[in-house]
Structures are given as structure tokens and as C-alpha cells.
Amino acid sequence: MSDGKTGLQLRSLIKTSGELEISLVDVPTPEPAEDEVVVRIEAAPINPSDLGLLVGAADMSTAKASGTKEAPVITAKVPEGAMRAMAARLDQSLPVGNEGAGVVIRTGSSEAAKALMGKTVAMIGGAMYAQYRTLKARDCQPLPEGTTAAEGASWFVNPLTALGMTETMRREGHKALVHTAAASNLGQMLNKICIKDGIPLVNIVRSKDQAEILKKIGAKYVVDSSAPGFLDDLTNALVETGATIAFDAIGGGKLAGDILNCMEIAINKTAKEYSRYGSSVHKQVYVYGALDIRPIELPRGFGMAWGVGGWLLTPFLQKIGPADIGRLRQRVVSELKTTFASHYTKVVSLQEALDPANIAVYAKRATGEKFLINPNKLS
């Protein structure tokens, strides 16, 4: 076992020439300052938000492997039309990985840092696809006794996003919500939260198999967008639940518009009077993902009381402040093996994460195909 003075780190680089390069670099591990710790990382999930940085806008069907088994290099072409969106990151070798978990092997001199020595902690702060990470003690969440790094690795992005959705719903005065791409890891967590908290949730999925995944965990309202009666099914679920806020992971195409139109129809079924401006009930769709990168189409049949906007976890947390963040974090830790349990289909080393066969699977962002990197796993 290495002493952790240096370690491998996964880097993503997009060159001005229009080429993506993903590689492993041996980097020194900074010595911890007073309020910092050094963690040996044993688990870091590949989330859709990580793929945005890892592969950027590259066309992964053009991916080529070179280098050695110990130090593989992946290159791929970035389409010319996508280069403008990548301008801010060109020619910068960027570390990847939003969250992870591992064991604290060295600490600074502060009491908070020393208290973490030898503990398994979950972390947030980027650069997690690395063997070692030096970071502030406050960015580490000690895991309960008997919790593994793999169980704690996905403690932040998906759980707090799911809780952020129900918090946003309450704060903005809605009583039920809609979620798309709903059979994802995050979608399953959201179902468990809503069942536990008594919140009606309409799940939109894209296949019968995905619908089954959710029904098995107790989801009551599941509608399949590939079914012929989708819009009627969605409207009926909206009538029953009264949902007027949606969180959309798809992003492009007609789905956001379909949701708003069905919300309007559902509201008008119980309306007391007609208005040519449509219902006065505010209908909101928050786009938080981009599984479909086409433009958002909004066929206007939903009156004037509506909104479509972006929603991201970090700005939401900044808005609610430290006390509420602490409350949400505590809930995640106490329900880590139940409500917030994550399921992985494969655990890979850093080198295996750069295997074209593995990239082809995890870069698809397919439901039920979640990968976990163990940077200290031997290939």
C-alpha cells in the first residue's frame, strides 16, 4: 500500500484542436493544513453530472485507446458545433469526480481534523477520481459505524438533489410533484422519500421495464411516455395528485411542454369558472438534466401562469443556508442504507474506467447502469 504522498488522478482535457483526452496523472498529495485531512479514496460514483466534465461534448463513438495498461489514454473527437460551449475549459487538464468516500490517513492539527483520523468519511468537493484527496475537514461527513465507503460514496449528489426537490416543492407552495427519467437511482430515492413523507409523486418513465422497477418499490403513479395513451395517463395522474411542479431530467424535446399542458387540463377539470387566459394556478417545470440535448419545445396550451427554468443542487443549497443544509445532510446519513441506498452494476479501477468497453456503457447514462470507481482497486 502506498504512503499516499503521491497518487493517480483522472484528468479530462479538451484541446483547441477539437480533441478530448482522458488520462491518468501521478500527482503529489498536498500535506494537510491545520483544518484539513488526507483521504485514501475507495469509492466514487460516475453520475451524469460527472460525465459532463469527464467526456464534455465529445462524440464517444469516435473514442480510441492508447497508452499502456497502467496508464491508458482515451481520445475522442469533439464535433465542431459543440466546441463553442467548451470554450471556457479548452487546453486545461481538469480533475473529475464530484463525490466519493474513503478512509482518513493523515490530518492537520485542528481538533475537528484529528477527530476524523482512521474514520471512513464521505466527501464532496471535486477531483474524487483519484487515489488520495486533501480537503477541509468540514467537507467530510463521518459515516456511521459499519458503513462501507461504497455505501457512503453517493451520499451527496443524488440524495440531496432528491431532498432538494421536495424542499423546493414545499417552499414554492406545491403539494405534489412530477419527476421524469424516474427509474434512475435518484428517481428511486425520490420515491422512497415521497412514500415516507406522504408526498404524492407522478413518475414518468420511458419503458415498461422501468415502470416495473418503480412499482416494486411501492410507487403509486407511474406513466410510460412510450405508451400510446401517455398524455391521458399523465393527465389522470395529475388530476389525482394535484401535482403542479415537475423536475425534468430529459431537458430537450416536447416533454416539458406536455407536462405543462397536461397540468393545465387537469386543473381545468376542477375549475369553477372559465378564463381565456387559462387557469390562474402556477405550473412550474424545473429542468435539472440534459438526457436529450435538443431544444425544449413548448406548444402553448397552458395559459399564462407557468414557468420553465433550470434547477441545480449547489445554487439551491446556497439559497437555503447552513442550518437547513445540516438538517438535510443529517437525514441522508441516518437513512443511508434505506431511503438513500445506491445500487451499482460494476466497480472499476481508475484504469478500467478508461476501458472503451466500460465507457461505452456508462457514457450512455442508461437507467440501471451505474458504475462506481475504486481508485485504490488494483486492475
Side-chain angles (χ1 to χ4, degrees), residues 8 10 24 42 44 46 69-70 72 129-131 346-355 358 362 371-379:
L8 291 175
L10 191 151
L24 300 178
E42 294 174 353
I46 301 178
K69 183 171 182 265
E70 291 72 32
Y129 299 164
Q131 289 179 309
K346 197 164 186 182
V347 178
V348 294
S349 66
L350 284 170
Q351 289 84 356
E352 289 163 345
L354 270 61
D355 178 330
N358 285 329
Y362 67 67
F371 277 54
L372 186 71
I373 297 176
N374 177 351
N376 281 288
K377 173 181 186 261
L378 298 172
S379 292

Side-chain angles (χ1 to χ4, degrees), residues 132 146 303 360:
Y132 302 96

Side-chain angles (χ1 to χ4, degrees), residues 48-49 158 161 165 177-188 190 202-206 210 245-253 255-256 259 285-294 296 308-312 364-367:
S49 52
N158 282 348
T161 298
M165 290 173 179
L177 60 107
V178 179
H179 186 223
T180 72
S184 64
N185 246 308
L186 189 152
Q188 292 178 49
L190 183 60
V202 178
N203 298 276
I204 298 177
V205 296
R206 291 175 285 182
Q210 291 176 2
I245 183 170
F247 289 87
D248 177 27
I250 309 295
L255 189 56
I259 292 168
V285 174
Y286 283 120
V287 176
Y288 77 98
L291 294 173
D292 183 337
I293 56 172
R294 291 176 301 167
I296 297 172
V308 174
W311 189 97
L312 281 174
K364 277 195 313 209
R365 300 169 163 88
T367 294

Side-chain angles (χ1 to χ4, degrees), residues 248-329:
D248 177 27
I250 309 295
K254 290 185 173 157
L255 189 56
D258 285 342
I259 292 168
L260 289 171
N261 279 313
C262 291
M263 283 178 176
E264 180 73 359
I265 294 165
I267 291 160
N268 283 330
K269 285 195 174 185
T270 55
K272 301 282 185 284
E273 58 189 51
Y274 168 76
S275 164
R276 64 197 172 100
Y277 298 114
S279 75
S280 59
V281 178
H282 185 77
K283 300 157 291 293
Q284 179 70 42
V285 174
Y286 283 120
V287 176
Y288 77 98
L291 294 173
D292 183 337
I293 56 172
R294 291 176 301 167
I296 297 172
E297 294 177 50
L298 298 175
R300 292 284 303 279
F302 38 80
M304 298 301 286
W306 59 277
V308 174
W311 189 97
L312 281 174
L313 176 59
T314 305
F316 168 74
L317 293 176
Q318 285 165 347
K319 195 163 70 183
I320 67 172
D324 281 335
I325 293 171
R327 173 174 59 81
L328 298 183
R329 275 173 63 154

Side-chain angles (χ1 to χ4, degrees), residues 68-83:
T68 62
K69 183 171 182 265
E70 291 72 32
V73 177
I74 295 289
T75 52
K77 290 189 171 63
V78 180
E80 209 171 308
M83 281 296 284

Side-chain angles (χ1 to χ4, degrees), residues 63-237:
K64 290 187 170 65
S66 59
T68 62
K69 183 171 182 265
E70 291 72 32
V73 177
I74 295 289
T75 52
K77 290 189 171 63
V78 180
E80 209 171 308
M83 281 296 284
R84 187 180 295 170
M86 298 289 107
R89 61 168 289 187
L90 292 181
D91 297 323
Q92 296 174 68
S93 175
L94 300 173
V96 188
N98 285 319
E99 63 183 338
V103 177
V104 175
I105 58 167
R106 282 202 299 287
T107 78
S109 57
S110 76
E111 289 309 310
K114 287 197 294 193
L116 295 175
M117 184 63 197
K119 289 207 160 71
T120 301
V121 297
M123 306 162 285
I124 186 74
M128 294 297 165
Y129 299 164
Q131 289 179 309
Y132 302 96
R133 181 79 165 81
T134 304
L135 73 171
K136 294 202 179 296
R138 67 162 184 259
D139 292 328
C140 296
Q141 175 69 51
L143 294 172
E145 201 66 41
T147 306
T148 65
E151 286 170 331
S154 292
W155 76 286
F156 192 89
V157 175
N158 282 348
L160 287 179
T161 298
L163 284 173
M165 290 173 179
T166 58
E167 284 280 312
T168 300
M169 178 203 80
R170 287 190 192 97
R171 284 163 183 256
E172 297 188 3
H174 304 270
K175 63 175 187 179
L177 60 107
V178 179
H179 186 223
T180 72
S184 64
N185 246 308
L186 189 152
Q188 292 178 49
M189 282 179 193
L190 183 60
N191 268 281
K192 289 175 186 172
I193 293 167
C194 288
I195 290 165
K196 193 163 187 175
D197 295 2
I199 299 167
L201 171 65
V202 178
N203 298 276
I204 298 177
V205 296
R206 291 175 285 182
S207 70
K208 254 192 192 139
D209 291 347
Q210 291 176 2
E212 280 312 307
I213 291 170
L214 292 178
K215 284 175 181 164
K216 272 186 190 144
I217 61 169
K220 187 173 176 188
Y221 304 99
V222 185
V223 293
D224 178 354
S225 62
S226 68
F230 165 59
L231 294 177
D232 288 339
D233 295 343
L234 176 57
T235 304
N236 291 336

